[in-house]
């Protein structure tokens, strides 16, 4: 991911912009594929983007859960 | 805790979410979940010092550890439940948000029960 740059900003902002980029590109793919008649491919493309972004988000939410459990002595 | 960084992340995420909302609302929700998690992580991370301080004071004042740990656990549950319930409401699932909040309340009641029974017992002992 280094080639994509964005190492000047903090990792959180970079991830937010990455999620935005994946979402935007998935939306564009969806419309392009829909126009060109391949309706089912469009849904698959959006689903793939969703799964990729969901993995990133779930990874960070898990990071948050560990932080809360460690700070608030929940375990 | 860099308040400007926090506010900056929140604002950028809001703008990006609004841009994405017309094209694909799912990704807007995912952006708001991610930004919420980032902000909550930063806030909770800056609370570690406060919690250490509280525990130090509790041991100095010879208060038993169970009271403080229960209160801290309840605060932790409140934070995470409020975060999840608000995210659910943002995505339009207010019923789900209500269910998450109900789960949080029940969890807090279960945690607070021992302290409540202690208080009642001490009161009963005080009565003639």
């Amino acid at each position: 991911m280094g080639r994509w740059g964005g190492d000047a900003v903090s990792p959180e902002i970079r991830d937010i912009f990455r999620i935005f980029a994946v979402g935007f590109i998935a939306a564009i793919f969806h419309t392009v594929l829909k126009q060109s008649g391949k309706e089912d491919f469009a849904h698959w493309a959006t689903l793939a983007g969703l799964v990729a972004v969901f993995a990133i988000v779930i990874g960070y939410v898990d990071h948050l859960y560990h932080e809360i459990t460690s700070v608030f002595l929940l375990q | 805790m860099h308040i400007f960084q926090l506010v900056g992340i929140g604002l950028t995420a809001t703008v990006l979410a609004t841009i994405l909302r017309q094209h694909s609302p799912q990704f807007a929700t995912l952006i708001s979940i991610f930004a919420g998690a980032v902000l909550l992580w930063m806030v909770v991370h800056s609370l570690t010092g406060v919690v250490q301080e509280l525990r130090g004071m509790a041991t100095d004042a010879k208060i038993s550890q169970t009271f403080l740990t229960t209160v801290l656990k309840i605060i932790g549950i409140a934070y995470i439940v409020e975060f999840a319930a608000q995210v659910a409401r943002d995505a339009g699932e207010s019923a789900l948000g209500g269910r998450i909040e109900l789960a949080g309340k029940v969890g807090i009641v279960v945690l607070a029960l021992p302290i409540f029974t202690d208080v009642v017992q001490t009161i009963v002992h005080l009565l003639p």
Side-chain angles (χ1 to χ4, degrees):
Chain A
M1 279 283 184
R3 208 172 55 75
W4 297 95
D7 35 21
V9 293
S10 76
E12 288 83 17
I13 285 279
R14 196 161 13 105
D15 280 344
I16 289 179
F17 277 103
R18 279 214 185 104
I19 294 176
F20 172 76
V22 169
F24 206 75
I25 290 168
I28 290 171
F29 271 176
H30 190 87
T31 36
V32 162
L33 286 170
K34 197 182 285 181
Q35 303 309 342
S36 67
K38 299 191 184 63
E39 180 73 26
D40 42 5
F41 281 116
H43 292 298
W44 283 115
T46 318
L47 198 63
L50 264 178
V51 165
V53 166
F54 202 64
I56 299 176
V57 171
I58 282 294
Y60 200 88
V61 170
D62 173 57
H63 184 51
L64 170 69
Y65 282 173
H66 281 305
E67 182 71 20
I68 285 190
T69 40
S70 74
V71 166
F72 291 112
L73 322 170
L74 276 169
Q75 242 74 37
Chain B
M1 175 163 85
H2 324 287
I3 195 69
F4 299 118
Q5 188 184 3
L6 284 171
V7 169
I9 289 178
L11 288 181
T12 22
T14 319
V15 168
L16 294 181
T18 38
I19 296 173
L20 259 185
R21 201 164 290 286
Q22 326 115 14
H23 301 288
S24 46
Q26 311 92 332
F27 286 99
T29 315
L30 281 171
I31 282 190
S32 71
I33 290 176
F34 187 83
V38 163
L39 293 179
L40 191 55
W41 184 86
M42 286 186 177
V43 166
V44 165
H45 189 63
S46 61
L47 272 180
T48 38
V50 174
V51 167
Q52 259 34 13
E53 202 61 41
L54 278 176
R55 295 181 74 186
M57 279 196 279
T59 41
D60 295 348
K62 308 243 174 345
I63 302 171
S64 92
Q65 276 301 340
T66 53
F67 296 131
L68 187 67
T69 41
T70 317
V71 169
L72 286 177
K73 279 183 189 164
I74 288 175
I75 294 174
I77 289 183
Y79 267 138
I80 202 66
V81 159
E82 201 267 337
F83 165 71
Q86 288 301 340
V87 163
R89 282 205 185 86
D90 268 2
E93 304 289 335
S94 52
L96 258 182
R99 294 294 76 71
I100 295 172
E101 277 182 0
L102 179 69
K105 285 175 191 151
V106 166
I108 287 176
V109 162
V110 166
L111 263 177
L113 205 58
I115 294 189
F116 185 70
T117 42
D118 282 358
V119 169
V120 168
Q121 258 142 26
T122 36
I123 291 172
V124 164
H125 287 324
L126 285 177
L127 293 179

